Amino acid sequence: MKKVIKIAAVSLLGLAFSVAHADENAIRQALGKAMPSVTVGAVKPSEISGLYEVTVGGNIVYVSDDGKYLIQGHLVDVAARTDLTEEKLGGARKQALEKLGQDKMIVFKPKTSKYTVSIFTDIDCGYCRKLHSEIDQYMAEGITVQYLFFPRAGKGSDSYHKAVSVWCADDRKAALTAAKKGDTPPAKTCVNPVDEHMQLAEDFEVKGTPMIVTEKGNIFPGYLPAKQLAEALADEQGKK
C-alpha cells in the first residue's frame, strides 16, 4: 500500500512539473509573438494560482497560465501588509544592471569603496548637476557612482546628443563633468550604450532624474546629499 501511495505521489509530482513547464512554454510563446522586441527572463508561478511571475528586463509582470492576459502592477499580501513585487524587483534590477556591465557606465570610484550606486542621470537636469557638483563628497563617503544616461526629453533631443557626445569623448569623466557645468560637449558619435540605458530606465519605470539604484536593487528617487545617502546605504547593509 505504501509503495502504491509513493508511486502515486511521484506521478502527481511529475504531472505538476510537466503542466508547469507547459504553462511556461505557452507564456514565452505568447509574449514572444505579441511583443517580439521584449526579452523574457525568468517565468515562475506567482503566489496566486494560475498567475505566473515573469521577469522582463528589470521589471516584473504577471501573466495568465495560457499567456493570454498580462497584468502590470504590484502584488500585495494584504494580511502581511507586504509588497511582494517590490521585494522581488530589487533582485531583478540588480541582475539587469549586472548584465549591462560596468564597462557600459561612466564610473567615479573612490580609493576605498564601501558602497556602489547606479544613478540614472540627465545632463540638463538641475538636481543631477547639483549631485555631480558634489561628487567629491560622495567619494569621501566611500560611494562608487556608476552613471547611466536617461535624457528625459527622449531620443534625438539635445540632452540625448550630449549624452552620446560625452560617451564618445576621449575622457568620458572629464567630458561629463564639463557638461554638468553647462558646457556643450563637442559633437561626436560612436558605438554607445545610451539607448540601452534608456531601455533599462523604462524597465525600471524611471519617472525623473536623478534616480539612485543601490547594490541590492532598491531605489532612492531624487537627489540625496552624500552623508544622507551613505547613512541610507549603511542601513541597507545592516551596518547601523
Side-chain angles (χ1 to χ4, degrees), residues 160-161 163-169 186-192:
Y160 177 88
H161 290 307
V164 172
S165 296
V166 165
W167 181 267
C168 297
K188 288 189 175 183
T189 58
C190 65
V191 176
N192 66 82

Side-chain angles (χ1 to χ4, degrees), residues 128-144:
C128 296
R129 291 185 172 186
K130 177 175 175 57
L131 188 154
H132 191 71
S133 73
E134 299 167 1
I135 194 68
D136 289 343
Q137 296 176 35
Y138 293 90
M139 300 294 101
E141 294 292 340
I143 302 172
T144 294

